[in-house]
Amino acid sequence: MDSRTRPGKYLLGSTLKVLELCVTVVSRFGPWRKRFYAAAPKMTEVVKRVDGDPRLTGFWAKRYPFEGGRGFLSADKSR
Protein backbone atom coordinates (compact mmCIF):
# COMPACT_ATOMS: atom_id res chain seq x y z
CA MET A 1 0.00 0.00 0.00
CA ASP A 2 2.79 2.40 0.88
CA SER A 3 4.43 2.11 -2.55
CA ARG A 4 1.21 3.32 -4.21
CA THR A 5 0.52 6.04 -1.68
CA ARG A 6 0.79 9.66 -2.68
CA PRO A 7 -0.63 11.32 0.40
CA GLY A 8 -1.78 14.86 0.66
CA LYS A 9 -2.71 15.99 4.12
CA TYR A 10 -4.34 12.57 4.56
CA LEU A 11 -4.16 9.36 2.52
CA LEU A 12 -7.16 10.18 0.34
CA GLY A 13 -6.82 13.93 0.14
CA SER A 14 -7.43 16.82 2.49
CA THR A 15 -10.14 15.30 4.72
CA LEU A 16 -9.69 12.82 7.56
CA LYS A 17 -11.52 9.60 6.72
CA VAL A 18 -12.02 6.17 8.28
CA LEU A 19 -9.04 4.81 6.31
CA GLU A 20 -6.62 7.07 8.18
CA LEU A 21 -8.14 6.08 11.51
CA CYS A 22 -7.81 2.38 10.68
CA VAL A 23 -4.19 2.71 9.54
CA THR A 24 -3.32 4.69 12.67
CA VAL A 25 -4.98 2.13 14.94
CA VAL A 26 -3.08 -0.70 13.25
CA SER A 27 0.16 1.22 13.69
CA ARG A 28 -0.53 1.26 17.44
CA PHE A 29 -0.79 -2.53 17.82
CA GLY A 30 1.99 -3.89 20.01
CA PRO A 31 5.48 -2.44 20.04
CA TRP A 32 5.71 -2.13 16.25
CA ARG A 33 5.34 1.58 15.56
CA LYS A 34 8.99 1.94 14.51
CA ARG A 35 8.62 -1.04 12.17
CA PHE A 36 5.51 0.58 10.71
CA TYR A 37 7.50 3.78 10.05
CA ALA A 38 10.24 1.77 8.32
CA ALA A 39 7.82 -0.32 6.24
CA ALA A 40 5.48 2.53 5.30
CA PRO A 41 7.45 5.77 5.17
CA LYS A 42 4.91 7.54 2.97
CA MET A 43 2.12 6.83 5.45
CA THR A 44 4.22 7.84 8.46
CA GLU A 45 3.53 11.57 8.06
CA VAL A 46 -0.21 10.91 7.84
CA VAL A 47 -0.20 8.61 10.90
CA LYS A 48 1.67 11.23 12.92
CA ARG A 49 -0.83 13.88 11.78
CA VAL A 50 -3.77 11.68 12.87
CA ASP A 51 -2.00 10.96 16.20
CA GLY A 52 -1.73 14.68 16.86
CA ASP A 53 -5.23 15.68 15.78
CA PRO A 54 -6.73 17.50 18.79
CA ARG A 55 -10.15 15.97 18.07
CA LEU A 56 -8.68 12.51 18.73
CA THR A 57 -6.28 12.97 21.66
CA GLY A 58 -8.82 11.76 24.24
CA PHE A 59 -9.74 8.79 22.05
CA TRP A 60 -6.11 7.71 21.62
CA ALA A 61 -5.37 8.09 25.32
CA LYS A 62 -8.40 6.05 26.36
CA ARG A 63 -8.66 3.38 23.67
CA TYR A 64 -5.19 2.96 22.16
CA PRO A 65 -2.59 4.41 24.51
CA PHE A 66 1.14 4.24 24.08
CA GLU A 67 2.75 3.24 27.33
CA GLY A 68 6.51 3.48 27.49
CA GLY A 69 6.59 3.81 23.70
CA ARG A 70 4.74 0.54 23.25
CA GLY A 71 1.37 0.05 21.63
CA PHE A 72 -1.82 -0.86 23.40
CA LEU A 73 -1.69 -4.64 22.91
CA SER A 74 1.71 -4.93 24.52
CA ALA A 75 0.62 -2.78 27.49
CA ASP A 76 -2.53 -4.66 28.44
CA LYS A 77 -2.94 -8.32 27.51
CA SER A 78 -6.49 -8.45 28.91
CA ARG A 79 -8.11 -6.50 26.02
Side-chain angles (χ1 to χ4, degrees), residues 28-44:
R28 288 174 169 261
F29 287 173
W32 305 293
R33 179 56 81 96
K34 288 183 183 178
R35 283 190 1 206
F36 178 87
Y37 288 165
K42 292 179 181 176
M43 289 193 276
T44 294

Side-chain angles (χ1 to χ4, degrees), residues 1 9 12 14 17 24 36 39 42 44 46 50 55 57 59 63-64 75 78:
M1 184 172 169
K9 184 174 181 179
L12 298 175
S14 62
K17 296 188 175 47
T24 303
F36 178 87
K42 292 179 181 176
T44 294
V46 173
V50 175
R55 298 171 294 180
T57 54
F59 173 74
R63 300 293 304 189
Y64 300 101
S78 66

Side-chain angles (χ1 to χ4, degrees), residues 9-11 16-30 32-34 36-37 43-67 69-72:
K9 184 174 181 179
Y10 296 106
L11 295 173
L16 178 64
K17 296 188 175 47
V18 172
L19 175 62
E20 289 85 11
L21 296 173
C22 291
V23 169
T24 303
V25 167
V26 168
S27 77
R28 288 174 169 261
F29 287 173
W32 305 293
R33 179 56 81 96
K34 288 183 183 178
F36 178 87
Y37 288 165
M43 289 193 276
T44 294
E45 183 179 327
V46 173
V47 166
K48 288 180 177 181
R49 184 171 291 117
V50 175
D51 275 341
D53 189 312
R55 298 171 294 180
L56 299 169
T57 54
F59 173 74
W60 296 132
K62 182 177 180 181
R63 300 293 304 189
Y64 300 101
F66 278 128
E67 295 188 16
R70 299 174 66 83
F72 81 99

